[in-house]
């Protein structure tokens, strides 16, 4: 299956799959903000979803380009489980937007992990985004390998921007 995803579908199709992950959730994004999602009749931070996954034993990796803003940090502080169990790395060169779910499904697209990119913002307040959601093994493996190469620091050797890397991977 290869699905083209646009605009609000990022929220309804991609983020909804995150809650159902059983083993691994890898997220790579350039920008990271205080993204909120629906939970029944209430709205909760996406960080709450990540916290629940971690409590269930899911391994969660979050790779992003810069430190998030104050609102994100305030939400982050509400979930002490994230402090010790969330695997998080920064790389200022990350511009891709990739999610790999249980090594079986991948989102590859333009949407950052923000309200305007993937969140609940209304049609007139969100970015114009596009991407693909797939379970095709060749695409899933390629996306996972690309994200993992940065995560593992294999791209650091030839990087010409190490002076801007506040949290060096290697």
């Amino acid at each position: 299956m290869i699905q083209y995803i646009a605009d609000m579908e990022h929220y309804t199709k991609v983020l909804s799959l995150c809650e159902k992950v059983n083993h691994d959730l890898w997220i790579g994004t350039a920008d990271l903000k205080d993204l909120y999602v629906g939970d029944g009749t209430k709205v909760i931070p996406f960080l709450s979803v990540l916290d629940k996954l971690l409590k269930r034993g899911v391994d969660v990796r979050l790779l992003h380009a810069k430190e998030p803003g104050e609102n994100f940090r305030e939400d982050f502080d509400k979930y002490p489980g994230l402090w010790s169990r969330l695997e998080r790395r920064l790389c200022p060169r990350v511009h891709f937007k990739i999610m790999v779910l249980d090594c079986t499904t991948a989102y590859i697209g333009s949407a950052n992990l923000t309200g305007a990119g993937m969140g609940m913002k209304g049609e007139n307040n969100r970015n114009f985004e596009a991407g693909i959601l797939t379970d095709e093994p060749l695409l899933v493996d390629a996306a996972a390998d690309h994200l993992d190469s940065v995560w593992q620091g294999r791209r650091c050797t030839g990087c010409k921007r190490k002076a801007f890397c506040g949290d060096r991977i290697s």
Side-chain angles (χ1 to χ4, degrees):
M1 162 266 321
I2 299 176
Q3 291 182 331
Y4 178 77
I5 304 293
D7 302 327
M8 191 62 179
E9 290 177 312
H10 285 85
Y11 176 73
T12 58
K13 292 186 178 178
V14 179
L15 289 184
S16 64
L17 289 176
C18 292
E19 298 175 36
K20 299 172 184 151
V21 168
N22 293 311
H23 305 288
D24 304 285
L25 175 61
W26 293 1
I27 302 170
T29 184
D31 199 7
L32 184 62
K33 292 187 180 169
D34 54 329
L35 170 63
Y36 282 74
V37 296
D39 183 33
T41 59
K42 60 186 176 188
V43 175
I44 61 171
F46 184 66
L47 290 170
S48 174
V49 173
L50 298 182
D51 186 57
K52 289 175 190 173
L53 291 173
L54 290 164
K55 286 177 181 171
R56 284 196 349 235
V58 173
D59 292 323
V60 180
R61 284 184 177 180
L62 178 58
L63 175 65
H64 53 102
K66 61 183 179 178
E67 285 294 346
E70 184 177 331
N71 292 338
F72 177 93
R73 290 192 310 269
E74 286 177 13
D75 284 343
F76 190 88
D77 289 345
K78 295 175 187 173
Y79 302 98
L82 296 176
W83 306 349
S84 60
R85 293 194 299 263
L86 176 67
E87 296 180 73
R88 189 170 76 97
R89 293 195 174 158
L90 281 92
C91 172
R93 302 227 20 220
V94 167
H95 198 260
F96 55 73
K97 289 77 175 181
I98 296 173
M99 287 187 163
V100 180
L101 303 91
D102 284 333
C103 297
T104 61
T105 305
Y107 163 76
I108 307 160
S110 65
N112 282 304
L113 205 62
T114 66
M118 283 202 166
M120 299 180 67
K121 291 206 174 196
E123 184 178 338
N124 297 321
N125 295 342
R126 37 184 320 108
N127 298 337
F128 302 125
E129 304 288 2
I132 62 167
L133 183 63
T134 184
D135 63 1
E136 294 292 327
L138 289 175
L139 289 172
V140 173
D141 289 349
D145 287 348
H146 187 64
L147 194 155
D148 194 50
S149 72
V150 176
W151 182 267
Q152 296 296 335
R154 292 192 304 262
R155 310 290 292 274
C156 296
T157 305
C159 180
K160 303 291 185 198
R161 308 240 342 134
K162 288 183 182 180
F164 301 98
C165 196
D167 188 17
R168 300 261 292 271
I169 295 169
S170 72

